[in-house]
Amino acid sequence: MPDIFSLFQDQAEQFFKSGHTNNWAVLVCTSRFWFNYRHVANTLSVYRSVKRLGIPDSHIVLMLADDMACNPRNPKPATVFSHKNMELNVYGDDVEVDYRSYEVTVENFLRVLTGRIPPGTPRSKRLLSDDRSNILIYMTGHGGNGFLKFQDSEEITNVELADAFEQMWQKRRYNELLFIIDTCQGASMYERFYSPNIMALASSQVGEDSLSHQPDLGIGVHLMDRYTFYVLEFLEEIHPASQTNMNDLFQVCPKSLCVSTPGHRTDLFQRDPQNVLITDFFGSVRKVEITAETISLDPNLAAFESKPPKDELAAEPLKYAEQLPVAQIIHQKPKQKDWHPPGGFILGLWALIIMVFFKTYGIKHMKHIF
Amino acid sequence: MGQGWEPWGAYRAVMGLWGAYGAGPGAVGCLWGQDRSRGVHIGQGWELWGAYGAGLGTLGCLWGRARSRGVPMGQGREPWSAYGAGLGAVGCLWDRARSRGVHVGQGWEPWGAYRAVMGLRGAYGTGLGTLGCLWGRARSRGVHVGLGWEPWGAYGDGPGAVGRMWGQAGSCGVPWDTGAAWAGGGVGPQGGCGGAEPPLPVGNAPPAPQRPPPPLAAMGLLSDPYRRRALSRLVLRLNTPLCLLSYAAGLGWFLALAFPPVAPRTYMSENAMGSTMVEEQFVYGERALSYAREFAGHKKKAGGLPVAWLEKTMWNLGLEVYKQPFSRTLPFPDETRERYMVKGTNVYGILRAPRAASTESLVLSVPCSEGQHNNQAVGLMLALASYFRGQIYWAKDIIFLVNEHDLLGMEAWLEAYHDVNITEMQSSGMLGRAGAIQAAVSLELSSDVVTSFDVAVEGLNGQLPNLDLVNLFHAFCQKNGLLCTIQGKLQRSDWDTLPAYAHSLQTLLLMVLKQGSGRPQGDHGLFLRYHIEAITVRGINSFRQYKYDMSTVGKTLEGMFRKLNNLLERLHQSYFFYLLPSLSRFVSIGVYMPAFGFLILILVLKALDLWMKLSKCDASSAERLWDGDQAAVHGTAEESRPGLLTLVPPLLICHATGLTLYFLPVLGQHVATQHFPVSESEAVVLTVIAIYVAGLALPHNTHRVLTGSGSDRGWMTLKLLALLYLAMQLGCVALVNFSLGFLLAATMVPVAAAVQPTGPKYLYAVLLVLVTPAVTLLLGIFLYQELIEYPVSVLECWQLFLQAVAEGLLDHYLYGSIVFPFVAIFVYPCWLLLWNVLFWK
């Protein structure tokens, strides 16, 4: 039965199609201080989701700049809530914070990403990914156009971040990378990315503020930011076998809810977002499909696979050596200034110059010119 | 006006008032002008200041025959050029210039934009420049000013034009300006200047020296002898009008501060406190009242602060309780409060933050005064302490303090807490501490219910708490629907009517008077010295229908403490120097200081005037010497040059009088009581007044010492010295206490500038006496009583005056207020110098 056989073969091909074999997550909250409770809650809620979907603590690098659960101002000690009805304690029972308080610095963050870490560093503080890893990077804090503030003392710029990702790509530290940032003017942070296989999401466009959500009178602060709140709501519906794809994630927080305009960038990504499952990044589950048939994998399969799949991108997946046109992306023309002197100005200037000239030399000297 | 079709038009629609204001004077200008279509286009001005400038500009056209001057002015796209246009046009009062201001507003080149930043200079130059045209017949001089591509060009134009006061120059400003503008581009300034026709002296014009080409385009104003002479001529000739203008500008500026559009709304700057987002759960109003009754009973029984009961009660609430006995002997008896040798005890309890180190704390203080006053505040404090004890969210320790003898107790407690001894307070050391105090609230309540809250901000020496603390209080009052007032004045909801303006002006004046007095207006006032932000909150029970019970009051305080608890660092984000025309509007230091600056400018102008007159005397006498007529001139030169000896005696005597005024009253009180039938405090006050008045007789005494008195040079030098001295004093004190500086400046400066030994001497004498600091104090008291709607008769006012003198001295000796020493040692001698000037001959 060749038909059935080819069907199974297709399934098997599908089964092996996703290019990654392991998942990692780097979750960063960069703000200190009690009134930034919401940033810690943001990060912890993403932590909760990825952990629930199967990424183990050993594959999560969690960086929290402050400890809200134990802050003396917290009326409900040892909890961090994400909702004012107090039903979801994102602090949970089992939180493993890898980098905390003053360890959360730009340097440490970049070292984790690029793997340039002192030899004595424990495994829990390393990102031990390889070229088959899908990495989720989530960041939140206070940012501006082109930077994200770390603590109160330093900041990371979008160029630094883009270069770090490029270094990761060159060092074969990821297969695909999903970057999510919830901060003011978040879209400015992914503007400068130029390495392949990166998909990026941000809570707001350049020039926009990301807004907070869930003001809680009992705790006395805002509990979460709007964007992450709705992302969390969305992720709570996801289960390991969900077929929800990235396009659904893009729709998560429309402007009516978010007030800011969430943005995303997919031009560096090689696959169609529609074919990328949420669980490709948020989960770490291997597919299990039970079949009663015996599938003898065709030795020619490799050759078959090397042919470009018809529904996939026409382009060959990029090799490490061939980069995207970096120069083209970096050396973009600067934006034109908004304001131009009116045309009359140039004319007036010339008129003035001529006037001054004639006033100085007089009309009789015309012959010297012509 | 409705034709504005771009963003600025919309903006102006919001601030519509100003457009109308500008248009108003503009139209006024047309009354006598022979111009057409002037006011018309004003409406198209795209922004506020353009219209304003246009207004000023057209004012200048009152008698002019200008056409279309104001017209394009409305198109000025930047505020300052329009302003400059205004000034420029003012110069046209009698002139026959056409189209001068025209192009000013049209600057749209890059440098124009730069000039917008440095706008003042461009405008300044223009103003000066056209001022010079008062009698000239220049046309189109100012025209290119607007086209000047850099600020210095415009600036340079001013003095240049000044030189043309009587000249008849055609377009002389133009090439010069152009030259200046091009200098940066490599074209020599001489080229630009050489193109200009040399100014031709005409008719009765004085023989103006040939102007040398400016060596540098951005030449300093004073290093060019030609310009310097022009400037000096300007200062000499226009001195009195400039002084009058400056005084009017200073007072006008101050009066405008109460106008709501000038004062922006207050806003919370501190992120850590954020909003009023907190859930207050204090419901123990009844418990507060029962505490209050119990406290009142024990207080009556103990005949003072019931220390033992308070300690026991606080202990039972779970606080760490400490007491601090203190004693202080006053320099002389305080008759208004009837105290001399004071002994008292402060009791305080510390609520330790359950989950934080004791590194920071907040203070809730309640003064325990005589009689049945303030019992409810103690009750509420105890109820709050018991409620706070049950909460686990405290990150700072909270100190609950009951201080006896109000400010004295507070001073003793603060000194002991910070382990300093700056006054002669004797107290036991402090046992219990709770880290650095971040903020403090002093509470005064005398009734079971309140109808409104009054907040007092003015502290010792006019120091103010950070505006955020006031904002916090205001925010919580609004949240809980409590009425809150400042200076006892409720904010009016309307702001664009005259009564509303008068109301906010009254509030502002009250604040200025209180701040100027340098007295702490509540127990919070002493905290400020230690950089602890503090306010006093007074519960008022007047006859209003809506009353709030203790629970609401407690909730407000709970909310404030909850938010203060969230602080991460000291309050520092908001303003420390401000004036409050109402609780929701503030005037920051940058806005109110120019009012003072204008007043000080008078002194500087006058001093400059005197200086130039003096140096001119020098020059003329030197010239005469040069002529060879030495013998004849010798005597006058000798006479006109006063030696150092003629100036030192009045200076020394005046300052000695000041020092006597400072030291003698308190030192000599016992001698005085032995010889005169007066009490000690009366003796002190009367000695102060006696010495003060005795100073008036000084000129007659100094005359004997002076050898070369009577010369013009003598009094001019002395006055010059006195004016600069006064300017320096006032400038210094205004940095610390704006209100004190402004009040003294507003009264003393005009008379100080005017006084001289020639002219109506007795009028000057009366004026000078009227502006002496003592009379200012008297009038200030009178004004204050009028403003709080508790008018007093002259006799009562005199009584209050005597009281105020005594209290001023006590404030100085007890708490370290600087007002009395400042007046006695600095302002009064300076005033005496002026008195000497008046009676020089």
Side-chain angles (χ1 to χ4, degrees):
Chain A
M1 305 230 284
D3 281 342
I4 289 179
F5 180 72
S6 67
L7 180 70
F8 283 126
Q9 212 170 27
D10 275 353
Q11 279 186 353
E13 182 198 328
Q14 284 285 325
F15 187 82
F16 289 112
K17 195 179 61 182
S18 117
H20 71 286
T21 59
N22 56 73
N23 277 83
W24 287 82
V26 180
L27 313 175
V28 190
C29 156
T30 64
S31 334
R32 295 183 71 74
F33 306 135
W34 173 241
F35 60 94
N36 291 321
Y37 184 97
R38 58 185 190 276
H39 292 153
V40 174
N42 285 345
T43 315
L44 282 172
S45 65
V46 177
Y47 173 80
R48 166 196 161 83
S49 299
V50 296
K51 212 167 151 183
R52 187 175 60 79
L53 290 171
I55 305 184
D57 265 329
S58 59
H59 280 53
I60 303 176
V61 180
L62 179 60
M63 306 175 114
L64 294 183
D66 206 346
D67 183 5
M68 292 308 162
C70 297
N71 192 301
R73 295 170 181 86
N74 194 342
K76 302 183 191 309
T79 58
V80 174
F81 286 102
S82 68
H83 197 287
K84 57 186 163 189
N85 64 11
M86 303 291 162
E87 61 186 14
L88 187 56
N89 173 17
V90 288
Y91 200 64
D93 307 320
D94 186 17
V95 176
E96 218 178 276
V97 186
D98 301 307
Y99 288 83
R100 55 183 187 169
S101 65
Y102 289 112
E103 289 171 1
V104 183
T105 58
V106 174
E107 183 185 342
N108 279 348
F109 174 63
L110 291 179
R111 282 186 183 283
V112 165
L113 290 187
T114 55
R116 297 171 186 270
I117 281 182
T121 314
R123 286 181 72 84
S124 65
K125 291 191 165 195
R126 291 167 181 260
L127 180 68
L128 295 167
S129 57
D130 54 26
D131 62 342
R132 283 312 201 185
S133 304
N134 272 11
I135 304 182
L136 164 71
I137 294 182
Y138 174 87
M139 304 185 82
T140 182
H142 289 285
N145 191 351
F147 67 91
L148 175 69
K149 201 171 80 163
F150 268 67
Q151 313 269 2
D152 248 8
S153 52
E154 51 180 0
E155 60 270 330
I156 187 171
T157 65
N158 49 4
V159 178
E160 286 168 335
L161 196 61
D163 289 344
F165 287 163
E166 173 62 19
Q167 208 175 111
M168 288 171 77
W169 172 249
Q170 291 189 3
K171 293 173 81 176
R172 305 188 175 200
R173 286 177 65 78
Y174 71 83
N175 172 48
E176 285 172 333
L177 198 148
L178 176 65
F179 177 77
I180 303 181
I181 187 160
D182 186 350
T183 178
C184 296
Q185 317 204 31
S188 67
M189 286 305 283
Y190 61 59
E191 261 177 0
R192 299 293 178 121
F193 290 174
Y194 55 93
S195 315
N197 289 349
I198 298 182
M199 191 187 300
L201 285 89
S203 59
S204 54
Q205 296 296 330
V206 177
E208 280 182 339
D209 286 345
S210 288
L211 295 166
S212 56
H213 202 23
Q214 302 288 330
D216 184 89
L217 294 175
I219 299 177
V221 286
H222 288 273
L223 296 188
M224 269 189 101
D225 282 321
R226 280 175 182 272
Y227 181 71
T228 311
F229 179 80
Y230 290 108
V231 168
L232 175 65
E233 208 174 66
F234 171 78
L235 290 176
E236 288 292 296
E237 302 295 317
I238 305 286
H239 54 87
S242 293
Q243 290 301 305
T244 329
N245 61 42
M246 282 295 162
N247 271 346
D248 300 322
L249 184 61
F250 295 159
Q251 312 298 327
V252 154
C253 192
K255 191 165 185 193
S256 53
L257 293 174
C258 250
V259 183
S260 59
T261 325
H264 56 266
R265 181 172 171 192
T266 54
D267 58 331
L268 297 166
F269 207 69
Q270 304 293 308
R271 291 194 283 156
D272 185 357
Q274 202 169 359
N275 298 330
V276 183
L277 297 182
I278 296 293
T279 47
D280 279 358
F281 288 101
F282 284 89
S284 179
V285 276
R286 298 275 64 81
K287 281 183 194 163
V288 176
E289 289 190 17
I290 298 171
T291 170
E293 309 297 322
T294 310
I295 302 170
S296 64
L297 289 175
D298 191 358
N300 296 332
L301 194 63
F304 174 76
E305 210 176 352
S306 70
K307 278 192 287 183
K310 44 199 174 301
D311 61 329
E312 280 290 311
L313 220 67
E316 184 108 349
L318 287 182
K319 294 285 179 288
Y320 290 102
E322 356 172 291
Q323 302 278 309
L324 283 187
V326 174
Q328 194 184 334
I329 293 174
I330 294 180
H331 303 297
Q332 283 168 347
K333 267 206 297 191
K335 272 185 199 165
Q336 283 198 323
K337 296 244 169 63
D338 294 334
W339 182 85
H340 280 288
F345 169 64
I346 309 292
L347 269 180
L349 194 64
W350 275 110
L352 189 74
I353 290 171
I354 292 171
M355 209 184 75
V356 170
F357 184 86
F358 282 128
K359 196 154 174 60
T360 317
Y361 297 107
I363 198 98
K364 60 188 175 194
H365 295 290
M366 284 286 277
K367 57 176 185 271
H368 296 303
I369 310 168
F370 299 113
Chain B
M1 253 180 222
Q3 293 180 357
W5 36 258
E6 60 164 89
W8 282 108
Y11 175 63
R12 208 218 14 215
V14 180
M15 304 291 287
L17 191 63
W18 284 97
Y21 177 65
V28 166
C30 302
L31 281 179
W32 297 281
Q34 276 189 25
D35 39 22
R36 38 186 279 263
S37 77
R38 182 140 6 93
V40 178
H41 296 275
I42 290 177
Q44 293 184 354
W46 295 325
E47 55 161 320
L48 191 61
W49 285 99
Y52 179 62
L56 273 185
T58 44
L59 263 187
C61 304
L62 279 179
W63 299 280
R65 282 174 51 196
R67 54 178 267 268
S68 76
R69 176 129 22 83
V71 179
M73 227 178 255
Q75 296 181 354
R77 298 208 190 77
E78 47 160 330
W80 285 103
S81 71
Y83 177 63
L87 273 185
V90 166
C92 305
L93 278 178
W94 297 281
D95 193 12
R96 285 175 49 194
R98 54 181 269 267
S99 75
R100 175 113 37 73
V102 176
H103 296 276
V104 172
Q106 293 184 347
W108 33 253
E109 63 272 49
W111 279 108
Y114 176 61
R115 207 205 20 205
V117 180
M118 304 289 290
L120 190 61
R121 291 180 163 270
Y124 175 57
T126 317
L128 275 185
T130 44
L131 267 183
C133 304
L134 278 180
W135 298 281
R137 284 174 51 195
R139 52 181 273 265
S140 76
R141 174 124 29 79
V143 176
H144 296 277
V145 172
L147 295 173
W149 296 321
E150 51 161 324
W152 285 103
Y155 181 63
D157 183 53
V162 167
R164 297 278 173 274
M165 270 193 167
W166 299 280
Q168 188 195 42
S171 72
C172 79
V174 180
W176 203 34
D177 186 19
T178 318
W182 279 110
V187 180
Q190 285 87 352
C193 191
E197 291 161 358
L200 299 171
V202 286
N204 53 357
Q210 194 76 14
R211 176 160 55 109
L216 268 177
M219 177 92 199
L221 186 64
L222 291 176
S223 52
D224 179 352
Y226 183 83
R227 298 188 198 179
R228 189 166 63 185
R229 186 163 299 178
L231 186 72
S232 67
R233 208 176 287 159
L234 185 77
V235 168
L236 282 179
R237 198 166 286 273
L238 293 179
N239 199 280
T240 313
L242 280 179
C243 285
L244 285 176
L245 200 68
S246 187
Y247 190 66
L251 287 192
W253 192 291
F254 178 76
L255 293 179
L257 293 180
F259 192 55
V262 174
R265 299 194 76 87
T266 52
Y267 54 91
M268 193 84 88
S269 301
E270 177 61 75
N271 257 332
M273 293 199 298
S275 56
T276 55
M277 192 166 60
V278 85
E279 188 177 22
E280 299 97 332
Q281 292 165 329
F282 180 80
V283 286
Y284 308 105
E286 287 308 312
R287 188 189 291 179
L289 289 182
S290 72
Y291 273 132
R293 282 190 286 272
E294 210 175 332
F295 175 74
H298 283 91
K299 188 174 166 186
K300 194 176 268 178
K301 202 156 49 179
L305 184 67
V307 177
W309 178 82
L310 212 51
E311 272 184 304
K312 196 181 91 216
T313 316
M314 282 187 171
W315 188 258
N316 288 340
L317 293 178
L319 308 179
E320 274 182 48
V321 189
Y322 302 95
K323 62 179 178 181
Q324 183 218 3
F326 64 90
S327 67
R328 173 80 161 98
T329 306
L330 272 52
F332 58 91
D334 182 357
E335 289 197 338
T336 42
R337 291 191 190 73
E338 295 175 354
R339 58 193 187 191
Y340 183 43
M341 292 162 78
V342 180
K343 271 189 175 30
T345 312
N346 295 325
V347 181
Y348 63 103
I350 302 175
L351 166 62
R352 296 286 178 195
R355 290 188 286 143
S358 292
T359 52
E360 295 177 341
S361 57
L362 304 170
V363 172
L364 176 60
S365 84
V366 170
C368 168
S369 36
E370 310 293 320
Q372 290 306 303
H373 201 61
N374 231 13
N375 292 336
Q376 281 81 356
V378 177
L380 181 60
M381 188 198 76
L382 291 172
L384 275 174
S386 105
Y387 168 72
F388 283 0
R389 178 77 173 83
Q391 308 305 316
I392 59 166
Y393 44 66
W394 299 113
K396 301 179 189 347
D397 293 356
I398 300 178
I399 302 175
F400 297 92
L401 166 68
V402 181
N403 56 314
E404 210 176 355
H405 301 297
D406 46 63
L407 282 167
L408 277 177
M410 191 56 89
E411 178 70 30
W413 190 80
L414 280 169
E415 283 188 9
Y417 193 90
H418 296 96
D419 213 2
V420 291
N421 195 353
I422 40 182
T423 62
E424 292 160 28
M425 185 72 70
Q426 285 102 38
S427 71
S428 66
M430 185 138 316
L431 298 170
R433 280 199 181 75
I437 303 173
Q438 304 290 304
V441 176
S442 179
L443 181 67
E444 294 179 20
L445 281 178
S446 302
S447 57
D448 290 357
V449 289
V450 297
T451 53
S452 68
F453 266 130
D454 189 50
V455 58
V457 291
E458 303 88 355
L460 188 69
N461 291 330
Q463 266 188 298
L464 298 171
N466 194 288
L467 189 55
D468 265 346
L469 191 59
V470 185
N471 291 342
L472 184 71
F473 169 72
H474 186 218
F476 272 100
C477 278
Q478 285 190 321
K479 184 186 178 192
N480 292 330
L482 282 165
L483 286 179
C484 52
T485 61
I486 188 158
Q487 323 296 357
K489 304 264 184 201
L490 195 62
Q491 188 183 351
R492 286 176 65 120
S493 53
D494 56 335
W495 58 267
D496 47 359
T497 59
L498 194 61
Y501 169 73
H503 187 81
S504 58
L505 184 63
Q506 282 175 2
T507 318
L508 183 72
L509 272 177
L510 272 172
M511 173 152 186
V512 167
L513 288 173
K514 282 184 180 174
Q515 198 191 8
S517 75
R519 310 197 61 200
Q521 299 295 323
D523 279 5
H524 75 283
L526 296 175
F527 279 100
L528 300 173
R529 177 191 283 157
Y530 300 90
H531 192 8
I532 299 166
E533 310 312 321
I535 52 172
T536 293
V537 173
R538 291 196 178 92
I540 309 286
N541 187 13
S542 60
F543 303 97
R544 292 181 75 96
Q545 197 173 359
Y546 301 107
K547 299 193 187 283
Y548 305 99
D549 61 350
M550 281 295 144
S551 298
T552 321
V553 178
K555 273 183 181 170
T556 308
L557 285 168
E558 184 204 347
M560 286 178 68
F561 272 83
R562 206 53 218 274
K563 280 292 158 191
L564 289 171
N565 179 50
N566 281 359
L567 277 184
L568 298 160
E569 39 195 341
R570 284 180 190 279
L571 286 167
H572 65 283
Q573 302 272 12
S574 196
Y575 295 87
F576 284 99
F577 295 93
Y578 52 86
L579 295 175
L580 295 170
S582 75
L583 205 45
S584 65
R585 293 193 178 269
F586 74 102
V587 182
S588 77
I589 182 167
V591 178
Y592 67 60
M593 261 306 178
F596 180 77
F598 277 120
L599 296 185
I600 289 298
L601 182 67
I602 298 175
L603 294 180
V604 176
L605 277 176
K606 208 72 196 174
L608 208 59
D609 180 42
L610 284 171
W611 176 257
M612 285 171 180
K613 280 180 181 157
L614 282 171
S615 54
K616 198 185 278 176
C617 283
D618 268 353
S620 61
S621 61
E623 270 169 26
R624 269 180 289 168
L625 277 175
W626 195 249
D627 287 344
D629 195 4
Q630 290 189 7
V633 167
H634 189 75
T636 55
E638 205 51 21
E639 184 264 332
S640 69
R641 180 181 294 276
L644 196 62
L645 270 178
T646 49
L647 291 180
V648 169
L651 279 174
L652 278 182
I653 292 173
C654 290
H655 280 89
T657 320
L659 287 175
T660 321
L661 181 62
Y662 177 66
F663 285 112
L664 196 63
V666 174
L667 289 182
Q669 53 174 322
H670 301 296
V671 183
T673 43
Q674 279 166 11
H675 291 86
F676 299 98
V678 286
S679 71
E680 275 95 345
S681 69
E682 281 169 349
V684 170
V685 173
L686 293 178
T687 318
V688 168
I689 294 175
I691 297 174
Y692 201 97
V693 175
L696 299 184
L698 268 186
H700 311 291
N701 303 330
T702 50
H703 263 251
R704 289 177 204 151
V705 195
L706 293 179
T707 50
S709 72
S711 73
D712 272 348
R713 285 193 60 92
W715 73 259
M716 278 159 103
T717 319
L718 191 64
K719 188 181 167 186
L720 174 66
L721 216 67
L723 290 184
L724 291 179
Y725 191 38
L726 184 64
M728 191 197 69
Q729 287 171 6
L730 293 179
C732 288
V733 85
L735 291 181
V736 183
N737 186 346
F738 165 78
S739 300
L740 181 61
F742 184 80
L743 288 174
L744 287 175
T747 50
M748 284 183 80
V749 163
V751 183
V755 69
Q756 55 188 21
T758 54
K761 202 183 238 185
Y762 290 100
L763 177 66
Y764 282 141
V766 170
L767 283 178
L768 203 53
V769 169
L770 275 182
V771 300
T772 182
V775 179
T776 307
L777 173 62
L778 193 69
L779 293 178
I781 291 169
F782 196 74
L783 180 63
Y784 175 77
Q785 297 293 339
E786 287 292 323
L787 285 175
I788 60 168
E789 288 158 16
Y790 189 76
V792 286
S793 66
V794 177
L795 199 65
E796 285 167 319
C797 193
W798 176 250
Q799 287 296 328
L800 286 175
F801 171 74
L802 296 181
Q803 240 175 56
V805 171
E807 286 180 4
L809 262 74
L810 277 176
D811 279 348
H812 171 59
Y813 285 104
L814 294 182
Y815 316 120
S817 159
I818 59 160
V819 177
F820 173 64
F822 174 70
V823 169
I825 301 180
F826 294 104
V827 180
Y828 176 66
C830 189
W831 181 86
L832 280 182
L833 285 179
L834 292 168
W835 186 254
N836 266 319
V837 168
L838 180 60
F839 291 102
W840 189 257
K841 289 177 176 167

